[in-house]
Amino acid sequence: MSDLFDSRFRLQRRSVDDIAINFCIGGQGPPLLLLHGFPQAHVIWHRVAPLLAQQFTLVMPDLRGYGDSARPESDADHAAYSKRAMAADVVHLMQALGFDAFFVCGHDRGGRVAHRLALDWPQMVRQLVLLDISPTRTMYERTNMDFARLYYHWFFLIQPAPLPERLIAADPSFYLRTKLGGWGAKGLDVFDPRAIAEYERCFALPGAVHAMCEDYRASASIDLEHDRTDAGQKIACSLHVVWGERGVVHRVFTPISDWQEKCALPVTGRPLPCGHYIAEELPDALAAELRAFLTV
């Protein structure tokens, strides 16, 4: 167990649909599922979790392909890393833990999993919080020079294997640190060195980079197919969006109106004075947002 989490939290591993999911759990109160993004793992919540442990039972998994969770084989359609498959993992994990309905907060890739979860399993999501994203389809369809330059990895990681995998393998730590440092408001200084060490450890595990590439390849293919098929379906629960005013989403997109197109209810939210990594840059502010919104 990482020393980033105190004794209220415990690390567990559970097989759901033959996929081993690593997760951290702790706290008391109604369940809150926290989903991390790229290129990280459940450790992103280490500063927020202690602030929420008195109000919520926190479940913080490593998404499939990330951290210490399983990395299933993929094929040409990338379905193994679709957001539908990732959402099913965490839904079945929550059910196995005895939670039939729960709050959800997702950052980055985890936010895209959370979006699909809310569409495929609407009866299970009580309220939804998304961090520093606009909808995947919206972001692809509105790609311009600013977005392509600032989020070049969206287009690099989807290239056919093994091109991105082999290029990243030349110096994986350099690539990881460059991505982490490039999206934070203060570079790598916003991260606890122990968290960076954990991200580096997970990034270097066999098959990790390939799995992350497959996540992005799925987003540019099968996930878009699912989104287009479900274009008329709305998120049924209330949604709150938080993003960094020093980040790419704030600069290039309009999160409130972007998400309002996807929702049955009005969308609330606001930017915070930070970059992309809200949970590690402004944990107190994020915890306050979650406590104020997740009230049902």
Side-chain angles (χ1 to χ4, degrees), residues 76-92:
D77 69 0
H78 315 296
Y81 289 88
S82 69
K83 303 310 152 294
R84 175 160 283 160
M86 290 182 167
D89 288 343
V90 295
V91 163
H92 295 153

Side-chain angles (χ1 to χ4, degrees), residues 9 15 19 25 33 52 63 70-71 81 103 113 115 123 146 191 206 255 258 264 287:
F9 300 93
S15 182
I19 299 294
I25 185 171
L33 175 65
L52 298 173
L63 297 171
R71 287 175 255 284
Y81 289 88
F103 301 118
V113 175
H115 178 204
Q123 74 281 8
D146 264 356
F191 300 102
D258 292 347

Side-chain angles (χ1 to χ4, degrees), residues 28-35 45 52 55-61 90-91 94 99-106 110 114-115 117-118 121-130 237-240 289-296:
Q28 59 185 15
L32 169 57
L33 175 65
L34 298 173
L35 302 176
W45 307 111
L52 298 173
Q55 294 85 30
F56 303 99
T57 298
L58 306 175
V59 181
M60 300 166 279
V90 295
V91 163
M94 295 299 280
F99 303 129
D100 293 325
F102 43 87
F103 301 118
V104 183
C105 174
H115 178 204
L117 194 163
W121 308 82
Q123 74 281 8
M124 305 199 71
V125 182
R126 295 173 62 179
Q127 289 177 293
L128 178 62
V129 178
L130 298 176
C237 65
S238 56
L239 170 62
H240 189 67
E289 293 283 324
L290 292 170
R291 284 194 297 264
F293 179 69
L294 302 177
T295 57
V296 174

Side-chain angles (χ1 to χ4, degrees), residues 36-41 44 66-67 108-109 175-177 179-180 183 198-200 202-203 212 216 276-277:
H36 69 86
F38 171 86
Q40 300 172 287
I44 75 163
Y66 289 82
D108 189 81
R109 312 307 291 174
Y175 184 84
L176 174 71
R177 286 173 171 263
K179 301 314 295 178
L180 292 174
W183 294 329
E198 182 65 5
Y199 301 145
E200 287 186 308
C202 294
F203 201 70
M212 294 179 199
Y216 279 84
H276 180 60
Y277 299 104

